[in-house]
Amino acid sequence: MAEEQKTSGSEDTFISHLIELRSRVVKSSAAVLIIFLCMMPWAAHIFDLLAAPMIHALPAGSKMIATGVITPFLIPVKVTMVLALIIALPWVLYQMWAFVAPGLYTHEKRLVAPLVISSSLLFIAGVAFCYFFVFGVVFPFINNFAPKSVSVAPDIDSYVDFVLTMFLAFGITFEVPIIVIVLVRMGLVPLAKLKQIRPYVVVGAFVVAAVVTPPDIMSQLLLAVPLCLLYEIGLLVAPIFEKATRAPEEREDAVGS
C-alpha cells in the first residue's frame, strides 16, 4: 500500500512538472509570437536594415536578388521572427529560470538570476558587435576582391543564412565569460586549470573561427580575438562570483581551513 502511494505521488509530481513546463513554454512562445505580430507590418523595413551593411559594400546602384518565387515574402518574415526571438530572449530565459528555480538552493538562485540577465545582454551584445562592426569590415573587404568582370548581386536567401550563422557564432562567443563562471562556480573545472589551458583555448578559438566564418583572415581574426579576450575576462570575473554565491556551509569550511 505504501509503495502504491509512493508511486502515485511520484507520478503526480512528474505530471505537475510537465504541466509547469508546458505553461512556461506557452508563455515564452506567446511572447515571441506577440512581438513577431507587432513587427510583421514592418518586416520589409527590418530586412532592409539587416541588408544595409551588404548594400553599403556593393557598388553604387547594386541590389541583392531573390531567385525564389515567394522568397521576397518568406525571407523578411524569417528575419522578423528571429528578431522577435532575440527581443524576447530575456523573458524566455526568465521562464527557464522560473521552471528550475524551485529545485535550487538559495545560494544557487543568487547565481542564476545574474547569469540570466548577463547571458541575455552578452548575446545581444555579440549580435550588435557582429552587425555594426564585423559586417562593416568584412563585406567591403570581401567585395573589394571581386573581379571587375563579375557583377556582385548576393541572393537574399544565402545572405540571410550567412548573417544568422554569424549572429549565432558571435552571440555564443560573447557567452564565453558566462561559461567560464559556471565551470568554476560548479566546481567542474578548477580556475587554475582554466588558466593553464590558455594556449589550447587560443588555438581552439582560431579553429572555431575558421569553421564558422568565411574563408578570409579578417573574419577569422574578428571572431577569434574577441573569443580569447572574453575568455580572459571570464577568468578575471569567475573568482568574484565564486565567493559571492558560495553557500554558507562552504564559507564556514573555507574559514575553518
Side-chain angles (χ1 to χ4, degrees):
M1 188 67 176
E3 292 181 358
E4 293 180 356
Q5 292 178 348
K6 185 176 181 180
T7 302
S8 177
S10 300
E11 292 178 354
D12 292 340
T13 301
F14 178 72
I15 293 174
S16 65
H17 284 322
L18 286 180
I19 294 175
E20 175 69 13
L21 177 61
R22 184 185 65 179
S23 174
R24 298 297 176 184
V25 171
V26 169
K27 291 179 180 179
S28 300
S29 302
V32 176
L33 181 61
I34 291 172
I35 295 174
F36 168 73
L37 292 177
C38 291
M39 295 190 302
M40 188 58 193
W42 296 276
H45 298 289
I46 292 173
F47 176 81
D48 288 340
L49 289 175
L50 184 67
M54 174 59 78
I55 297 298
H56 291 324
L58 294 175
S62 298
K63 292 184 178 181
M64 304 175 70
I65 62 172
T67 57
V69 176
I70 60 174
T71 301
F73 169 76
L74 290 180
I75 294 303
V77 171
K78 179 180 179 180
V79 171
T80 304
M81 176 60 75
V82 172
L83 180 60
L85 179 59
I86 293 176
I87 294 175
L89 185 60
W91 175 252
V92 173
L93 292 178
Y94 169 77
Q95 294 301 321
M96 295 173 57
W97 174 80
F99 177 71
V100 302
L104 301 177
Y105 294 106
T106 302
H107 67 282
E108 292 175 332
K109 292 180 180 179
R110 289 199 298 268
L111 174 66
V112 171
L115 290 183
V116 168
I117 297 173
S118 58
S119 296
S120 302
L121 295 177
L122 285 174
F123 187 88
I124 294 173
V127 172
F129 176 79
C130 182
Y131 177 83
F132 289 105
F133 180 73
V134 176
F135 289 165
V137 174
V138 171
F139 290 155
F141 179 80
I142 294 176
N143 289 328
N144 285 338
F145 279 85
K148 300 300 181 182
S149 58
V150 175
S151 177
V152 180
D155 175 61
I156 61 172
D157 195 4
S158 300
Y159 174 76
V160 168
D161 289 341
F162 168 78
V163 166
L164 294 183
T165 300
M166 292 288 284
F167 280 168
L168 183 62
F170 278 87
I172 294 176
T173 295
F174 273 61
E175 298 291 336
V176 167
I178 303 298
I179 296 174
V180 173
I181 290 171
V182 171
L183 290 176
V184 173
R185 177 63 190 94
M186 300 302 292
L188 299 176
V189 182
L191 183 60
K193 184 66 175 180
L194 292 175
K195 293 181 178 179
Q196 183 181 355
I197 63 173
R198 274 194 185 102
Y200 302 99
V201 172
V202 173
V203 174
F206 279 90
V207 172
V208 171
V211 172
V212 302
T213 61
D216 64 275
I217 189 63
M218 185 63 67
S219 301
Q220 295 176 17
L221 287 175
L222 290 175
L223 180 62
V225 172
L227 199 157
C228 296
L229 293 177
L230 289 165
Y231 183 79
E232 293 297 327
I233 293 174
L235 295 180
L236 292 175
V237 177
I240 300 175
F241 271 81
E242 183 180 20
K243 295 177 182 178
T245 59
R246 187 175 294 171
E249 61 271 17
E250 290 176 327
R251 294 196 191 100
E252 292 176 1
D253 292 341
V255 172
S257 60

